[in-house]
Amino acid sequence: MKGDTTTIENGKKNGLNYDASSITVLKGLEAVRRRPAMYIGDVGPRGLHHLVYEVVDNSIDEAMAGFCSNIKVEIEQDNSITVTDNGRGIPVDMHPTQKKSALEVVMTMLHAGGKFDHASYKVSGGLHGVGVSVVNALSEWCQVEVCRDDAKYSQEYKRGIPTGDVKKIGACKDPGTKTTFLADHEIFSKVDFKFDILASRMRELAFLNKGLKIALIDHRVDKKLEFFYKGGLAAFVEYLNENKNVLYSKPIYFQKEKDGTDVEIAIQYNDGYVENLFSYVNNINTIEGGSHLTGFRTALTRSINNYITKNNLVKNGDSAVIGDDSREGLTAVISVKVPDPQFEGQTKTKLGNSETKGIVETITNDYLAEHFAENPSVAKKIAEKVISAARAREAARKAKELTRRKTALDNASLPGKLADCSMTDPESCEIYIVEGDSAGGSAKQGRDRRFQAILPLKGKILNVEKARIDRILSNDEIRALITAMGCGIAEDFDPSQLRYHKVIIMTDADIDGAHIRTLILTFFFRYMKELIEQGRIFIAQPPLYRIQKGKSEQYAYSDEERDRVIAQFGRDGVVVQRYKGLGEMNPEQLWRTTMDPETRTLLQVSLEDAAAADHLFTILMGDAVEPRRDFIQENARYVRNLDI
């Protein structure tokens, strides 16, 4: 940590003046409690956890400015959250225009913070400076303690309103800020923070800010994790490739600043067939990409093509290498720090700064040309992988034509096993992907054929984690699935052409059913991830039990519910039927329990953390046996129903 301390001290010596005059105020706090979703996305679990991220982002900004090396996040017994850092501490002196403590300004006014002032923060992860004040407004109570200039200050708030002035409460040696808040039960129906969700984001932030230590502590269950990565993005890529067969042991890693923009990139290829690329701007995951990603992809393809041409590695008759070929089996993380990021796109996570493309492209071109020249064995392995991908792409061309989205999709082009619905408006339509012909038959008879389509799949579909695109597109079941969806895959993928706006996976509640469900989810995650991000993918929840006593019957979806129903009926004369497969239910039962929108239960598949999801799918569906065995052993205690 000695090197980190030096960085912090150097930042102080460089004269960054961070005091009350650094806090810029755009407008006051209003309407946050009335319309919280406008500020945090929603008031469900995602919005709840977003509160933590907003507070942590302030500490991350201090780290990026060179003033913070340690962050601690604690989940308290009552589900309140404490975030502590060793940054400079929020200013507490009188604000020059607001005539109140700068701490109170930051905590109670929207668009107030040092991130609008480049003298305080060169780059910042917080986009609009609303974060911590919104957290305060949506909390039952909040307390902030600040250590600055050898003194400790404190202020408390209730639902965003100060209960008193900022007070000096004692002395302290080291600077920093400690924020504790309890999310408001009037806003959030359930205040229950998930350790794993927070851990994923803290791990990601530690990767993106090398040398920063982040501790996550759950006092409810006495659990603690620490994240600290000297290797930064190189360590991130190693984590993503942990259970994959890599082509070379050490990731290609480089970091350089040009025209005020810091570019950090790590690259490592594996023997798989899927591109796995994550991009960030000022620690924000740019899931829609943008100019920085375009610059990287352009430079990568050009650099590999230059090496192939220079070394005469392409034979006559081989297809020319294109961008998709150069990214087969690629795992890469691109992180740029931009002083004034301009975001666009539906979720404001697409970088629009045009100058960033040229900066990233130039830096990547220069480094890869040098690296390939100095490491010919690595360069040759990458080139051979890319050339092989180009050959496979050509072999897949005819198969891909069968699944390419037609301009006008008619019934003649749909797979024969699909029982389509009569309505044609995608917003009103849904499709059930069903395991086996038996369950498919019951579903076809029991459905509402106006808006419900049924696609039965025969057996277990191909594991796309272990297959190249040409093999995937030659698989009958996957081809039927792609054609039924109507939105294509690979370069033909267009989510706006999806024929059903609810895609529901319905499999048996046994081991085989769980495996088939995972295979289907793996396909969607690898080749139609945007459908998951848009909330289009669901999992049906068929009942596990039918409990009958005389003419009365009820269905139970868990062991606990079964026991409650049995107790309610009284044990004498109760008959319990355990459903092992959907085919055991007649069409009317299947409709009533699993398909009727009025009574069914659906689980929406969400993507909280793409990197963590990728890691998990690789464990579950990849080649490596050892990590899968470890995962099963670690999680066996959470299994509710095991059918052997």
Side-chain angles (χ1 to χ4, degrees), residues 123-286:
V123 294
S124 168
L127 294 181
H128 311 298
V130 302
V132 73
S133 59
V134 167
V135 174
N136 193 16
L138 299 179
S139 297
E140 288 184 23
W141 54 264
C142 178
Q143 180 184 34
V144 181
E145 293 182 3
V146 174
C147 285
R148 280 181 69 101
D149 305 321
D150 299 324
K152 182 182 288 188
Y153 302 85
S154 177
Q155 189 172 34
E156 297 182 7
Y157 317 86
K158 286 200 185 282
R159 297 189 165 93
I161 300 173
T163 60
D165 295 333
V166 175
K167 296 178 181 177
K168 184 176 179 180
I169 59 172
C172 59
K173 182 179 179 182
D174 299 318
T177 302
K178 178 181 178 181
T179 304
T180 305
F181 69 91
L182 178 65
D184 197 339
H185 288 79
E186 292 181 4
I187 303 294
F188 302 94
S189 58
K190 188 175 183 181
V191 177
D192 182 19
F193 289 98
K194 303 300 182 186
F195 185 88
D196 290 343
I197 292 177
L198 294 178
S200 292
R201 178 56 177 163
M202 297 309 113
R203 179 187 295 109
E204 183 179 60
L205 288 171
F207 279 131
L208 292 167
N209 298 273
K210 60 182 177 182
L212 174 65
K213 182 183 290 185
I214 305 179
L216 176 63
I217 304 168
D218 190 342
H219 294 293
R220 300 168 304 181
V221 292
D222 193 24
K223 187 175 183 179
K224 179 178 181 178
L225 286 176
E226 284 193 352
F227 306 104
F228 174 75
Y229 303 102
K230 287 184 178 180
L233 298 194
F236 198 171
V237 165
E238 288 175 335
Y239 167 77
L240 293 169
N241 272 342
E242 189 174 25
N243 301 303
K244 299 174 183 176
N245 298 318
V246 296
L247 299 189
Y248 47 92
S249 59
K250 188 177 179 181
I252 300 170
Y253 172 81
F254 52 98
Q255 182 175 16
K256 188 174 181 180
E257 184 173 321
K258 180 178 172 63
D259 298 336
T261 296
D262 182 83
V263 178
E264 185 180 6
I265 295 176
I267 302 165
Q268 189 179 43
Y269 282 82
N270 59 67
D271 66 358
Y273 310 114
V274 178
E275 172 191 358
N276 194 20
L277 203 160
F278 297 91
S279 65
Y280 298 85
V281 174
N282 299 359
N283 291 318
I284 298 164
N285 187 355
T286 43

Side-chain angles (χ1 to χ4, degrees), residues 139 275 289 353 381 405 435:
S139 297
E275 172 191 358
N353 299 56
K381 287 177 181 177
R405 176 176 53 84
E435 169 192 354

Side-chain angles (χ1 to χ4, degrees), residues 323-468:
D324 284 347
D325 305 327
S326 69
R327 298 190 297 273
E328 183 184 276
L330 169 70
T331 298
V333 182
I334 300 105
S335 176
V336 297
K337 306 289 173 60
V338 181
D340 288 301
Q342 304 299 315
F343 291 94
E344 55 187 53
Q346 185 177 1
T347 59
K348 302 299 181 188
T349 52
K350 182 178 182 180
L351 184 66
N353 299 56
S354 58
E355 71 280 2
T356 308
K357 176 183 180 295
I359 292 172
V360 174
E361 192 172 338
T362 299
I363 291 174
T364 304
N365 271 328
D366 292 347
Y367 185 84
L368 288 182
E370 181 181 342
H371 188 83
F372 287 168
E374 294 176 354
N375 299 271
S377 62
V378 170
K380 188 175 181 181
K381 287 177 181 177
I382 294 173
E384 289 173 347
K385 170 73 173 173
V386 170
I387 292 168
S388 176
R391 291 169 182 160
R393 173 175 50 81
E394 181 62 24
R397 185 173 57 83
K398 289 183 180 180
K400 194 174 291 185
E401 287 293 334
L402 296 174
T403 63
R404 184 161 283 147
R405 176 176 53 84
K406 306 296 189 292
T407 304
L409 190 62
D410 55 28
N411 288 333
S413 65
L414 292 173
K417 60 174 67 180
L418 172 69
D420 207 2
C421 50
S422 59
M423 299 176 72
T424 57
D425 178 15
E427 288 287 350
S428 305
C429 299
E430 57 189 41
I431 184 171
Y432 276 83
I433 302 170
V434 185
E435 169 192 354
D437 292 333
S438 175
S442 292
K444 288 177 182 178
Q445 294 178 56
R447 67 177 173 142
D448 186 327
R449 62 184 63 237
R450 293 175 305 158
F451 66 93
Q452 289 179 322
I454 307 296
L455 179 67
L457 296 180
K458 184 179 179 181
K460 296 177 181 179
I461 70 168
L462 181 70
N463 180 3
V464 300
E465 191 74 16
K466 300 179 181 179
R468 197 175 236 139

